Amino acid sequence: MKLASYNNGRRDGQLMLVSRDLTQAVAVPAIAHTMQQLLDAWALLKPQLQELYDALNAGQMDNAVAFDQSKCLSPLPRAYQWADGSAYVNHVELVRKARGAEMPETFWTDPLVYQGGSDSFIAPTADIEMASEDWGIDFESEIAVVTDDVPMGVSADNAGEHIKLLMLVNDVSLRNLIPGELAKGFGFFQSKPSSSFSPVAITPDELGDKWQDSKVHLPLVTHLNNDLFGRPNAGVDMTFNFSQLVAHVAKSRPLGAGAIIGSGTISNYDRSAGSSCLAEKRMLEIIADGKASTPFMRFGDKVRIEMFDDNNVSIFGAIDQSVVKYPS
């Protein structure tokens, strides 16, 4: 199934069922009004929703309307939990290498995760409002999963059963604020503002054989100011799969339905695929030339993040955003 949340003037939006080809949509208030309401009773409501989804794709829903991505909020406009990992350890290794820092061996066996703010996500086509370009504004193209209720201590072997939805992510980062925060030894806060998610969330079965081993085996395509920036394959060089990430996050706490777990910046050892954030490209420039030549984002810059199937059809819709000055 494919699902979205339309902006209806309320914080959590209106749950919409979206056709596989992203052309049609229909509200389903008789089943659930919001995405969170659906996730809270997923096992009960999914079979009912599946029947309507099949009818929608067969052109049998008379109340269907044209799907409009500009009306979409992030699928979960706010969430009880947003934890972002760093599953592509070669990306971490590269960043540390550029600043001459050794990487602990435990990074290859124990996932890195930070807890992000989840009270307000940016809509996928809304502007990214920032007060200053001096903060080092960066995008991070990622994938995230959404879970149902996950028990504390779930094993990696069983954690995959709790993954109900997949989304794309732009994990907005403020690179020039990160060093000062990390130096305090207490992690990210100001340097990780609101993130944004794809217009559509999908059930893993929508990917067919591209969803294997709790990984998405497709390129994630990023454009910066309409130029291709990178298309690394999300299924390649992912050290920790989503089941492992979910189990890691749930080691010492249960997760409530609607918890979002991110992959971290998608990165391949094959650098010909490009990058999924400006920081990685800058690190490669430092290693090659001794200095970074690519600037961070400035007001007016645009980023577009999207994933396509083998027929070049968009799967999740596009995160398509501009950076603008925050109106003080």
Side-chain angles (χ1 to χ4, degrees):
M1 288 186 293
K2 297 194 175 186
L3 303 159
S5 294
Y6 266 13
N7 187 349
N8 63 350
R10 298 180 179 180
R11 287 191 178 198
D12 297 310
Q14 171 69 59
L15 178 66
M16 301 293 290
L17 193 60
V18 182
S19 63
R20 184 168 287 113
D21 62 3
L22 305 185
T23 62
Q24 299 289 304
V26 63
V28 288
I31 296 177
H33 291 280
T34 68
M35 189 75 76
Q36 185 62 53
Q37 194 176 27
L38 170 63
L39 288 160
D40 284 339
W42 181 266
L44 176 66
L45 299 179
K46 185 194 174 186
Q48 304 172 48
L49 205 56
Q50 185 68 54
E51 288 186 16
L52 294 182
Y53 184 63
D54 293 340
L56 177 63
N57 285 308
Q60 297 170 353
M61 298 288 287
D62 293 337
N63 57 338
V65 298
F67 177 55
D68 186 351
Q69 295 189 41
S70 69
K71 293 182 179 180
C72 289
L73 302 170
S74 284
L76 281 164
R78 55 180 175 168
Y80 293 113
Q81 177 71 260
W82 160 227
D84 197 18
S86 193
Y88 298 84
V89 180
N90 77 85
H91 170 76
V92 182
E93 184 180 43
L94 176 66
V95 172
R96 293 179 70 90
K97 179 180 179 181
R99 65 172 188 259
E102 292 295 322
M103 192 175 75
E105 283 299 315
T106 55
F107 280 29
W108 293 102
T109 57
D110 194 32
L112 290 170
V113 176
Y114 82 89
Q115 191 162 30
S118 59
D119 52 331
S120 179
F121 295 131
I122 308 171
T125 58
D127 291 335
I128 300 169
E129 297 181 335
M130 287 293 148
S132 174
E133 293 177 340
D134 295 337
W135 289 348
I137 305 164
D138 198 357
F139 56 86
E140 290 191 63
S141 303
E142 308 181 9
I143 300 170
V145 299
V146 184
T147 73
D148 62 3
D149 291 302
V150 181
M152 183 172 66
V154 67
S155 69
D157 289 339
N158 294 327
E161 300 172 7
H162 297 281
I163 295 172
K164 302 306 176 185
L165 296 171
L166 299 164
M167 307 183 292
L168 305 183
V169 190
N170 180 11
D171 178 39
V172 182
S173 297
L174 304 177
R175 300 297 185 182
N176 293 339
L177 300 186
I178 287 177
E181 287 202 302
L182 293 185
K184 297 177 182 178
F186 219 51
F188 303 123
F189 194 84
Q190 291 178 338
S191 53
K192 290 290 186 175
S194 296
S195 299
S196 55
F197 297 83
S198 51
V200 170
I202 71 169
T203 51
D205 61 284
E206 288 290 325
L207 293 175
D209 63 2
K210 302 302 182 182
W211 174 251
Q212 293 183 31
D213 304 320
S214 285
K215 300 177 182 180
V216 178
H217 294 266
L218 285 168
L220 183 56
V221 182
T222 303
H223 284 82
L224 177 62
N225 294 326
N226 299 319
D227 293 326
L228 179 63
F229 188 83
R231 53 186 324 272
N233 193 303
V236 176
D237 302 321
M238 188 180 193
T239 307
F240 304 104
N241 66 25
F242 280 112
S243 293
Q244 292 170 308
L245 292 176
V246 171
H248 178 84
V249 173
K251 177 178 180 177
S252 59
R253 69 182 79 177
L255 304 180
I260 305 172
I261 313 297
S263 65
T265 306
I266 294 173
S267 178
N268 291 168
Y269 277 113
D270 179 4
R271 305 304 178 190
S272 68
S275 299
S276 294
C277 69
L278 289 164
E280 181 172 290
K281 185 172 183 180
R282 288 168 58 89
M283 292 307 110
L284 289 168
E285 291 167 348
I286 290 171
I287 292 169
D289 306 322
K291 63 178 181 179
S293 55
T294 298
F296 289 120
M297 296 184 80
R298 300 188 174 104
F299 299 141
D301 283 347
K302 298 180 179 181
V303 62
R304 184 180 178 96
I305 302 167
E306 200 164 8
M307 181 173 279
F308 301 90
D309 64 18
D310 289 339
N311 295 316
N312 205 36
V313 176
S314 182
I315 299 171
F316 299 86
I319 298 173
D320 195 359
Q321 301 174 300
S322 296
V323 175
V324 301
K325 186 171 179 59
Y326 178 72
S328 59

